[in-house]
Amino acid sequence: MSKKYILRIYRGHPGHQYWEEFQLDLVPSENVISALMRIQRSPINKNGERVTPVVWEAGCLEEVCGSCSMLVNSVPRQACTALIEPIIQQAKSPIITLAPLTKFPLVRDLIVDRSIMFENLKKVRAWLETDGTYSQGPGPKISPEKQKILYSLSKCMTCGCCSEACPQVNKNSPFMGPAPISQVRLFNSHPTGRSQAAERLSPLMKAEGISGCGNNQNCVRVCPQNIPLTDSIASISRDVTKQMLRDLFSFPERDE
Ligand code: SF4
Ligand code: SF4
Ligand code: FES
């Protein structure tokens, strides 16, 4: 007889959430998304009742788009790379819990609205301003060492796991979380982006900015892309202080 396990899912809509269990056959190498797809095809719960199919978000299925973030056994992570068998072995339990992220507004079942992350990226102008109407020739040279750092920062997929893990991101705090701060480091470190550095640092001087970080380092531990978030926070914190002094004494901008 095939081995079985249980997906215990916290589902529902705002104001009405409940746990529901589904028993599934253990399929080698299966991930959480594949298991959810099987439930979608046959939405029969552990009590044998046909229920509304569970809904969730997914896109790339290879840990690039960031859309499938959820709590798997209470840990914020991507469901597409969460393999069932190792999770059962690690937890020493045939029950796996799935729940929506808690730091974002719930839409339904495992789907949350992560718009706030994209709004924060707009606030810090997380892009390079270039005029694409004519050829500007080759871009400035960047050393291989610097490319390595910028590449690691560029892997952010706005998944929200860092905000979920951060105790400073909560209903009572305006703190925007570590991901946009790290994107400021990415774009301010780029030779083309440096000219807008002050504009990007400006929102980080407000209550929602860098002073909101309590430095307990949860974010860096859960980031699926291993982005050096706490290094970014330390680096941007120094830049914010320098920018504040420049603003105070109106020092002229200096290329570094
Ligand atoms: S280091 Fe800062 S941003 Fe990261 S989890 Fe701690 S408080 Fe949040
Ligand atoms: S920094 Fe990491 S955890 Fe945070 S949104 Fe980007 S990829 Fe996700
Ligand atoms: S589906 Fe894109 S990160 Fe999981």
Side-chain angles (χ1 to χ4, degrees), residues 1-56:
M1 216 169 81
S2 63
K3 277 193 191 164
K4 309 246 182 232
Y5 70 97
I6 288 169
L7 273 192
R8 191 162 187 261
I9 305 177
Y10 196 45
R11 54 181 313 200
H13 51 80
H16 180 59
Q17 282 175 283
Y18 56 95
W19 290 100
E20 186 153 59
E21 294 186 343
F22 297 85
Q23 191 171 49
L24 298 166
D25 289 333
L26 190 60
V27 176
S29 307
E30 188 173 56
N31 62 24
V32 166
I33 295 289
S34 308
L36 286 169
M37 287 166 91
R38 285 204 281 142
I39 293 174
Q40 191 181 49
R41 283 196 292 273
S42 176
I44 294 172
N45 69 16
K46 191 164 163 263
N47 302 330
E49 300 154 341
R50 180 165 280 274
V51 295
T52 49
V54 180
V55 294
W56 73 93

Side-chain angles (χ1 to χ4, degrees), residues 111-144:
I111 301 180
V112 296
D113 179 0
R114 288 176 297 119
S115 307
I116 181 76
M117 293 202 75
F118 301 99
E119 291 307 316
N120 286 332
L121 289 177
K122 284 191 225 164
K123 271 188 201 163
V124 300
R125 304 170 75 85
W127 57 80
L128 293 181
E129 306 227 353
T130 55
D131 185 346
T133 57
Y134 66 100
S135 168
Q136 295 175 312
K141 286 204 172 136
I142 302 175
S143 68

